[in-house]
Amino acid sequence: MFHSARQIAASMILAMTMSAMDKVIAEQVAGDSAATKVRSENNEHNSAVQMTPINIIGVTPDQPSQPNTSTLKGRSLRLQQGNTLGQTLNEELGVSNASFGPGVGIPVIRGLTGSRVRILQNGIGTHDATSLSPDHAVAIDPLFAEEIRIMRGPEIVRYGGNAIGGVVDVNDHRIPGKRTTKPISGSVENRYDTNGDGTNSAFKLNLGKDRLAFNLGGFFRKRGNTQIPGKAIDEALVEQQFGLSEIQNVSGTIPNTNSRGIGGFAGISWLGHNIMAGMSVSHTDNRYGVPKGSHHLDPNHLNGLETILPKLNDLRGFEDIFGPQALFPNIRLNMQQTRYDFKSEWYEPARGIESVSFRYGLVDYGHTEMEGGSPFTKFKNDVGEGRVEVRHHAFPNLTGTFGAHWIHRNFSALGVETFAPRTKQQSLGLYTTQDYAWNNWILRGGLRFEHAHIDPSVNELRLRGSALPPVPLPGSLDYQALSASSALQWNPRTDTALTLTLNRGKRPPDIQELLALGPHLSTRSFEIGNVQLKNETVNMADLGMEWKSGRISARANGYYNRTDDFIYLRNTGLVYEIDNEVIRQRCVSEAECVSILAYDQRHAEFIGFESRIDATLYEMPQGNLLLSLFSDYVRGRFVTGDRDDVPRMPPLRYGAELGYGNSTWNTSVRYTRAEAQHYPGKNETPTDSYHLLIATADYQITTSKWGNLWLFAKGHNLLNEEIRNSVSFLRNFAPEPGRSFILGARATF
């Protein structure tokens, strides 16, 4: 069914594109004939100078800066690029990395992640499984990124309820948007990481002639086990949290954290005078390991054999009973994703209409979780997402957009961890965003209505092997959500801007929050969904200030977020025996049990700030000396009941960066201090403070004939600190990587 829908959609898109092309080509042929006639007449008059027409495609007036929107690109992006998207953005204000070992890194924006933060690839969702579990990687490789935008302001209403915490949009220009200036151009990049002997290689080719443009790209990534300064498992905290003792521990490395990824894309566009249409096809294959202690801790109770086996250094002679993989199974995830993206834009089709744009993506995502070399669970997510948007400038001071956005999703999880049934999900959103400028004031607003329909394939949830009665399900679940946002920006001077942002957004519950029932071993939990969940409502106020002078610039934001009916996993105090498949109040063997967590709702609040000051200390002929000071913080807690803390919040961070350089070379040293997290949440453990020291250096060689060569080096965690990440589920089992040096080269031609 999904593949048929894909073929129909692709046929419709190509038909629409060809129809539009035929119309525009006819207009261009007529225009070209007229131009030829004029040139002939000019030649007859022996004109001294002949001008070649210049076709400008898709140029729009400069837009004022958006509040609560930051963009990472150019040199800064290249130096921050890591193995995962979360690692790449970890140095941005208000953004943390929810790591699950080095193979997984999910962005956390102001303490929110998962189903509350939309991760986009060129404006269309990644539609991977990151919202289902923290051990699922984002299906984006940062090496392809040309620009990453982080949005938290009024325009997030364009992206639906799952963007109430923010939006991360990764743009890699895989669909060409402009004509090439030469027949062939591109870039080649290679980098090496001493930690884990990691290699990352990528290339891009831009080809084109006349109105056709092609893009090709590919990457290959490989790394070994992550090196750490001390022990992998914090035995004291694991015993405190899970009641486990005599844990098999290692030092210096985290076993089973090696990874390997390969992928590529091809894109093509037709570019007319005021219209373009293009498409791309991409595929990603990512295979990575999950650190020990996530799905299964090393068993210490094996029907009596635990009295001798865990204490043996040599298991020879016991292979026929318990081989190494039976005792200590490796958990591997094999992820594949194929995407088909379509894009079309029509510029200035009528008076007052700046552009009409169309985006559509077909995503075929799947991953298989392997335990001890055997497949345990297979996740599938087949999604179609589209958007039609009209941008106008109908009045001199008013610009804005009107749009429609829809998603169709088929989800399934088959195998041992089938904790949610096959489900279809559909959503449709209608929205508008408007900007009005008057003197030194700018008023921005957005409004969105969204309808979500969830249709499970079963009429009841039944727990295999349990005496518990089945949970009846309705035929379908429907949600309506109305979201609104606004921002008032005042520019009392040309170098100063004050912004007040007010957002009220609603998020319908996600599939796992409604329909989960079963073991989720990646987080050592047994999850129970709740079909009675209501919309989650965010009420956010943000006051921001930006000031820029010749040598100093400053930015500060303070915000308050009151979330009504905040959806979270509540610890019931019960446990589930994995082997016997029964629910108990307590377990004799804690290693064979996982905690039972149930989705529930409570009011919560988040209070925080972000600030940064950049200054040019000295201007010298050889280069400029720059200093940056930065800090961010968020505190999340429930406002009802015992007012306990929302779990896995980032700590207070502050630091400084000192840089020296010019347009050819740069060096910098960045120091970050993260305070201890003493508010980890109920049944969670605190994390210690740490110091993070990073140094970078880069040099650009420019040649007018062949292109540019950019050499760079980066030292990360130079103090070799043991860093336990408070937003990570695995902080007590897998610390962040130790000291590493990254060397790389990037050639453009």
Side-chain angles (χ1 to χ4, degrees):
M1 180 67 70
F2 179 76
H3 293 285
S4 299
R6 174 189 298 166
Q7 295 170 356
I8 294 172
S11 300
M12 293 176 61
I13 293 166
L14 291 175
M16 293 169 58
T17 302
M18 293 304 297
S19 177
M21 285 182 179
D22 291 341
K23 180 179 178 181
V24 175
I25 289 173
E27 295 175 353
Q28 291 175 340
V29 169
D32 291 344
S33 299
T36 302
K37 182 178 180 181
V38 170
R39 285 194 297 269
S40 299
E41 294 174 353
N42 289 339
N43 290 335
E44 291 175 0
H45 289 83
N46 298 319
S47 300
V49 179
Q50 297 185 17
M51 304 296 292
T52 301
I54 299 176
N55 298 321
I56 300 176
I57 300 174
V59 174
T60 59
D62 291 338
Q63 302 297 327
S65 60
Q66 297 288 337
N68 288 313
T69 298
S70 58
T71 302
L72 185 63
K73 61 182 179 180
R75 173 184 174 273
S76 298
L77 172 60
R78 300 298 173 199
L79 289 175
Q80 288 184 212
Q81 280 176 332
N83 294 315
T84 65
L85 183 60
Q87 186 182 38
T88 300
L89 300 178
N90 193 44
E91 297 178 18
E92 294 298 295
L93 284 178
V95 183
S96 304
N97 175 29
S99 60
F100 204 91
V104 180
I106 304 172
V108 178
I109 299 180
R110 293 179 171 177
L112 301 177
T113 188
S115 297
R116 299 178 181 90
V117 173
R118 282 220 72 189
I119 301 176
L120 309 175
Q121 189 169 12
N122 303 303
I124 296 294
T126 57
H127 298 297
D128 43 42
T130 54
S131 63
L132 297 176
S133 174
D135 68 330
H136 299 158
V138 179
I140 293 179
D141 194 281
L143 280 179
F144 281 150
E146 297 289 344
E147 177 182 281
I148 301 178
R149 296 183 67 207
I150 304 168
M151 294 172 276
R152 290 162 288 208
E155 65 175 317
I156 63 174
V157 299
R158 299 171 58 214
Y159 303 101
N162 292 113
I164 60 175
V167 173
V168 176
D169 190 5
V170 181
N171 197 330
D172 54 22
H173 304 312
R174 64 180 53 188
I175 298 179
K178 60 182 180 180
R179 297 186 187 182
T180 58
T181 57
K182 48 186 177 180
I184 181 170
S185 62
S187 63
V188 178
E189 180 174 334
N190 189 66
R191 57 178 65 195
Y192 172 75
D193 189 345
T194 59
N195 192 317
D197 290 328
T199 58
N200 293 267
S201 302
F203 77 91
K204 286 185 179 181
L205 287 179
N206 308 311
L207 312 171
K209 184 180 181 181
D210 298 330
R211 298 186 179 94
L212 287 178
F214 304 87
N215 279 352
L216 296 173
F219 79 91
F220 175 77
R221 182 183 65 252
K222 182 180 180 181
R223 64 170 293 126
N225 289 332
T226 299
Q227 300 170 5
I228 55 176
K231 292 185 176 181
I233 300 177
D234 190 322
E235 299 178 15
L237 291 181
V238 168
E239 184 175 3
Q240 173 186 331
Q241 187 175 15
F242 297 106
L244 297 171
S245 59
E246 300 184 22
I247 296 172
Q248 301 286 337
N249 209 344
V250 294
S251 297
T253 61
I254 307 177
N256 195 45
T257 52
N258 57 310
S259 62
R260 180 188 181 99
I262 190 171
F265 68 85
I268 181 173
S269 290
W270 181 90
L271 304 162
H273 288 285
N274 65 337
I275 193 171
M276 66 82 61
M279 67 168 294
S280 70
V281 179
S282 61
H283 181 77
T284 300
D285 191 306
N286 188 15
R287 306 189 178 202
Y288 59 94
V290 174
K292 298 284 187 176
S294 55
H295 281 63
H296 284 306
L297 295 174
D298 298 331
N300 296 305
H301 300 274
L302 301 169
N303 298 325
L305 291 176
E306 75 275 3
T307 59
I308 56 172
L309 285 181
K311 297 178 175 59
L312 292 178
N313 295 323
D314 189 352
L315 296 177
R316 286 177 297 181
F318 292 94
E319 291 90 344
D320 57 335
I321 304 175
F322 288 109
Q325 280 300 308
L327 282 172
F328 315 112
N330 285 334
I331 308 301
R332 309 288 301 178
L333 276 77
N334 298 344
M335 184 197 80
Q336 297 86 30
Q337 185 191 73
T338 302
R339 288 180 61 110
Y340 306 87
D341 286 281
F342 303 87
K343 176 183 179 180
S344 181
E345 294 189 0
W346 191 6
Y347 308 103
E348 297 288 347
R351 182 183 298 273
I353 303 298
E354 186 176 307
S355 64
V356 178
S357 61
F358 169 78
R359 292 298 311 271
Y360 190 73
L362 290 166
V363 180
D364 183 0
Y365 171 89
H367 80 254
T368 302
E369 299 188 0
M370 315 287 291
E371 182 161 341
S374 301
F376 261 46
T377 310
K378 184 172 184 178
F379 290 82
K380 284 285 293 178
N381 208 27
D382 293 332
V383 185
E385 178 181 356
R387 180 191 305 277
V388 175
E389 193 168 87
V390 178
R391 181 167 183 84
H392 76 87
H393 50 83
F395 302 98
N397 297 329
L398 181 66
T399 60
T401 61
F402 296 92
H405 175 218
W406 65 95
I407 298 176
H408 177 80
R409 175 187 183 192
N410 289 330
F411 166 79
S412 64
L414 304 176
V416 176
E417 291 187 40
T418 306
F419 67 101
R422 291 178 179 266
T423 306
K424 293 183 178 181
Q425 184 180 25
Q426 295 176 325
S427 67
L428 173 64
L430 303 175
Y431 63 88
T432 180
T433 62
Q434 303 294 325
D435 293 359
Y436 179 76
W438 178 71
N439 292 336
N440 55 352
W441 296 85
I442 300 176
L443 177 63
R444 297 182 174 94
L447 189 68
R448 179 188 178 100
F449 173 78
E450 183 174 355
H451 174 80
H453 176 81
I454 297 176
D455 184 14
S457 61
V458 297
N459 54 18
E460 64 179 19
L461 296 177
R462 182 184 295 273
L463 181 60
R464 183 185 62 181
S466 174
L468 293 176
V471 179
L473 295 178
S476 63
L477 297 161
D478 290 271
Y479 297 88
Q480 287 77 37
L482 181 64
S483 300
S485 63
S486 62
L488 180 62
Q489 181 175 325
W490 178 41
N491 301 91
R493 299 171 42 176
T494 56
D495 58 1
T496 306
L498 300 174
T499 304
L500 175 63
T501 303
L502 301 174
N503 287 345
R504 179 177 173 85
K506 290 183 177 290
R507 179 181 74 89
D510 212 339
I511 289 176
Q512 74 280 2
E513 297 168 336
L514 294 165
L515 304 175
L517 183 65
H520 201 172
L521 301 176
S522 63
T523 56
R524 288 193 54 79
S525 64
F526 182 98
E527 296 184 11
I528 300 177
N530 184 352
V531 295
Q532 303 299 322
L533 294 177
K534 301 179 292 184
N535 282 337
E536 188 177 83
T537 304
V538 167
N539 302 277
M540 190 271 289
D542 184 305
L543 182 61
M545 182 275 294
E546 291 188 24
W547 174 62
K548 296 181 180 179
S549 70
R551 298 178 62 171
I552 300 177
S553 64
R555 170 194 165 191
N557 287 79
Y559 58 89
Y560 174 80
N561 174 358
R562 162 71 183 241
T563 302
D564 293 334
D565 299 315
F566 182 82
I567 300 173
Y568 74 106
L569 278 169
R570 173 176 56 86
N571 195 319
T572 64
L574 302 174
V575 294
Y576 177 77
E577 282 192 358
I578 300 171
D579 294 337
N580 297 325
E581 298 181 336
V582 294
I583 295 176
R584 299 186 184 278
Q585 289 187 338
R586 58 180 300 178
C587 269
V588 176
S589 170
E590 294 286 348
E592 298 173 1
C593 291
V594 294
S595 300
I596 296 180
L597 307 178
Y599 281 100
D600 204 347
Q601 291 185 302
R602 288 173 67 183
H603 301 331
E605 64 180 7
F606 302 84
I607 304 174
F609 70 87
E610 298 145 4
S611 61
R612 183 182 179 96
I613 299 175
D614 298 297
T616 301
L617 300 181
Y618 294 102
E619 294 181 350
M620 294 171 282
Q622 298 83 5
N624 296 332
L625 184 63
L626 309 174
L627 175 66
S628 297
L629 304 175
F630 54 87
S631 180
D632 59 11
Y633 177 68
V634 59
R635 171 77 188 279
R637 63 187 307 178
F638 295 106
V639 298
T640 57
D642 54 5
R643 294 182 60 85
D644 50 319
D645 300 299
V646 176
R648 291 175 296 281
M649 289 287 104
L652 170 65
R653 300 187 301 185
Y654 53 89
E657 181 173 351
L658 187 66
Y660 179 59
N662 54 34
S663 60
T664 302
W665 58 270
N666 286 274
T667 59
S668 68
V669 177
R670 180 186 178 95
Y671 167 77
T672 302
R673 164 73 174 183
E675 294 292 347
Q677 179 55 276
H678 296 302
Y679 307 104
K682 195 172 184 178
N683 298 314
E684 299 288 343
T685 55
T687 54
D688 293 332
S689 61
Y690 63 83
H691 307 272
L692 179 62
L693 186 64
I694 299 173
T696 64
D698 66 288
Y699 183 80
Q700 182 168 310
I701 303 173
T702 303
T703 61
S704 58
K705 184 177 181 180
W706 300 105
N708 300 326
L709 177 63
W710 186 56
L711 306 175
F712 59 93
K714 181 177 182 179
H716 189 269
N717 193 7
L718 293 177
L719 301 178
N720 208 28
E721 287 263 305
E722 180 179 300
I723 299 175
R724 302 283 176 174
N725 189 350
S726 64
V727 300
S728 171
F729 275 90
L730 277 189
R731 59 185 177 274
N732 293 330
F733 298 94
E736 298 302 295
R739 182 186 296 117
S740 66
F741 295 95
I742 300 170
L743 307 174
R746 177 182 176 86
T748 58
F749 55 91

